[in-house]
Amino acid sequence: MKKTTQKISRILPVFLFFVLFSLSSLAQNALSGTVTDSKTGDPASGVTVTIKGTKTSTQTAADGTFKLSAPAGKNTLLFTSVGFATQESTSTSGTFKISLVQANQVLNEVVVVGYGTTRKKDLTGAITTVSSKDFQKGVITTPEQLIAGKVPGVSVISGGGRPGQGGTIRIRGGASLNASNDPLIVVDGIPLDNDGIKGAVNSLSLINPNDIETFTVLKDASAAAIYGTRAANGVIIITTKKGKAGGDLKVNFSTLSSWSKITDKVDVLNGDQVRSIINGLGNTPNEQLLKSQLGTANTDWQDVIYRTAASTDNNLSFSGGIKKLPYRLSLGYSYLNGVLVTDNLERFSGSLSLNPSFFHDYLKVSINLKATSEKSRQADDGAIVNAVNFDPTQPVYSGSPRYGGYFEWLEANGTPMQIGGTANPLGLLEEQSLMKYPKRSIGNIQFDYKFHFLPDLHLNLNLGYDVSKGTENNFASDSAVVNYKVTDPYIGGNIYRGKQTKRSSLLDFYLNYQKSITSIKSRIDVTAGYSYNNYLTTNYNYRNYTAHGDTIPGTTAPDFLFDKPEHTLIGLFGRLNFVARDKYMLTATVRRDGSSRFIKKNRWGTFPSVALGWKLKDDFFRASRVISDLKLRIGWGVTGQQDGIGNYSYLTNYNLTTPQSSVGMGNTYLQAYYPAGFNSDLKWESTTTYNAALDYGLFNNRVNGSVDFYYKKTKDLLNEIPQPAGTNFSAIILANVGDMDNKGVEFNVNLQAIRKKDVTLDFNFNATYNKNEITNLTVQEKDPNYIGAPVAGSGAAGVQGVTQINAVGSPRNTFYLFHQVYDKDGRPIEGLFEDVNRDGIINDKDKYKGHSSDPTVFYGFSANLSVKKFNLGFVMRANFNNYVYNNVYSNKGRLNSVAGAYHVGNASTNYLDTRFAGGTDIQTLSDYYVQNASFLKMDNINIGYNIGRIGKTNHANLRLTAVLQNVFTISKYKGLDPEISNGIDGKVYPRPRTISVGANIDF
């Protein structure tokens, strides 16, 4: 028994050990899985897999697989590897399928630049790329809307809510006064003409946004100087979608249905308020006439002309690759209704991309063809103004069949009122039809050949075209009041036709040499080439006819009379990119341009640039776990501007009088020619830009962005200057006079707050500060007596004079008005202004330079949350220190707007606060009407759900989306919308709130 007890005592510890070991083994989790590279899809070997909260780890095998055991409840793993972002994942099943994201994937991306590409981490210039996954969502009718609020230093202001309406794009504040401030836009290597296309609300609307893959914005001169005379306002490079070599056929269909409705209306008086005002007048003959005109209705004319607009946008694409022939074919159809009655746009588009390669990839060919045809009925937006003006006591319809059955103001003889008459807003829309038919085709074929004897040397030839045709047909019925002419006999209606064709051709030829010297981690990239661009426009003129086909007197010019303006641009360019030891970078560029728009001595200009980069991370923060990337960039360069200069402004020339100015010779009307003003010394504007920047990445690049400081100085500003009488054929000519500065800073940050297998949360915030100042506007360096030059187009409705000037020491588009005087209760006193110079007279010498219409600060903020199959995102924008002249208040906030000289009208509700009579024209030049238009807007909220595979074969993938656009606006501005590009709020087509639902199917 004792021996037995001794044996048991010896065996028992061993037995207990094995029992406990077995129990501990049963409490372990068996975890396994596969790890791949998200970019290539290849297995990721050597990845460290660690159980979160422990020191237990293993590494993936050559095929990317791993196995390990974890304590009970420990089912969260950390995956880390050099070059990849750390990723955390949890699995209740014990099986993991991980796709690692390269930590420097963004830095290794290839970025399209002028005449070539480069790696993002080698960039030395201020360049920002926005890809399709980051575009604005919803109903996008023109391409520039895709990047609104997405790029620091770039402001995109919508021109209004009309379908296809273009926006105003400004990069770092623009660089001109009277010439164009629009950037150069290059589509698949073809520079576009910025002059617009007849019949198109916006020429960019003829490019289908659904075909666009990326926007690359070149903001500083070191990046844009290779485009020479056209790059002073920056360059936007648009790259369209392509197929992939060897890829299977992929079919994608997307459809979007939307409904739009205005969010607000101009505050005007109602019918009862108008009746009260008119009945409170005296008994003069005119006042008695007005009282007799009062109706009994309470018509909201804005409700009459606006509607809920339903629209649809559909796109079908086929892409893939047949061996070494990548291809993509897309077709698009859109039908967009405007919120203004009768307004609509129908668009058909198609694009074809072929990218074959030959001779073992020594020759690569890129063929891109795009064609778009639009048909639109453009509503007369004069109806917007008339809806504010029209008497709300009157009904919409008169009960008489004449004049379309609409209530109209008539003379005693029953004809439409010719002086002071306001057309019925709805009749103005429905009694005339302005049809527009613009068409555009853009195409090119590009050859990239690398020499067999020297594969590092490439020869590139790019041949391209951009052709368009625009026609307009305007028809008004014989009873349309707006076109009714009181003659003997009466003439009713109008038939007008307009036509324009445009053609530009392109030839680019350049050599590119790229060589990597791996032994010293260096690279060299040299480009040299030649560019030829020709632009030809043909404008056709036609007679005007009545609705019955009779020629309207004074418009008897021969049909098909046309003019053909043309200009040519030739450029020679070169660029050197050099990277030493993979951390020191040099970019040097030079372009020499010649333009037919100038005389020989001014025809050629040279535009150089140089930029340096230094990767500070490698020298100072190599061991840092916080700083994953840090690069310093500095740059300098000169760019030019020739848009806005006439093709023949330097030549003596003659203009043809308008048909309405024809001279009667018996029964024949002849048009005459008259001499026009000219300036033989014209040359292009030049802008010198300095840029200093810091690119940063933190925490394995989960936080990354840049800070850019810039200074732009434009010389030889194109300015309209007065001429002494008798010295020229025009009192004002365009000349190179003046200088202007833009100084600013841009900040951009991208944050991936959450990066897990099933959950990601990304933020982007960008901010821009830009200070604009005119430093000279005269031939003499300083002329204290020169006040400044009126801003072209700054006149407002009902205003006797201009509201803005360009003046030395102030920003461009500065308001130049009188100081309003107020009573003790803070109410403005009509016609009373501060006598600034104390001479007892109120005149132009008492005006002062006030605020500018351009913002000094603007922001963009966007976020995207993805949870398994759901995603939710939004985009917000803000402008600060931008001011707007409220022309609705100034023109319609007066008694004489209601009590007109010929009939009853209406007024904006600010009349109730001011009680202005309206007999003082000078009142409209008051700073009372300039209002702070700073705003915060939420552009859109979007939500999506990826249903996944559908159908019996599971070959189709379905994704659903819903988007709400123009969600809200926060602003102190008292008008309809604070976002006005030129600072004058007159008749702006309202931006509607739009809700859209869509589906995207991949086969």
Side-chain angles (χ1 to χ4, degrees), residues 397-465:
Y397 301 99
S398 65
S400 169
R402 189 58 176 145
Y403 309 117
Y406 300 100
F407 173 87
E408 300 286 3
W409 293 112
L410 305 177
E411 303 283 2
N413 63 358
T415 61
M417 190 175 290
Q418 296 296 298
I419 301 177
T422 301
N424 183 303
L426 187 61
L428 187 62
L429 295 171
E430 296 189 336
E431 283 289 280
Q432 58 178 334
S433 174
L434 174 56
M435 302 299 300
K436 298 191 174 186
Y437 306 90
K439 299 178 181 179
R440 186 176 199 174
S441 177
I442 302 172
N444 71 318
I445 179 168
Q446 188 165 3
F447 302 91
D448 182 348
Y449 174 70
K450 62 180 181 180
F451 292 89
H452 284 69
F453 63 89
L454 187 60
D456 297 322
L457 180 63
H458 288 243
L459 180 152
N460 285 268
L461 175 64
N462 183 22
L463 303 173
Y465 71 88

Side-chain angles (χ1 to χ4, degrees), residues 162 340-342 378-384 425 428-429 432 482 987:
R162 185 189 298 278
L340 190 59
V341 171
T342 73
Q378 184 171 311
D380 189 339
D381 53 12
I384 298 174
L428 187 62
L429 295 171
Q432 58 178 334
V482 69
K987 55 175 184 179

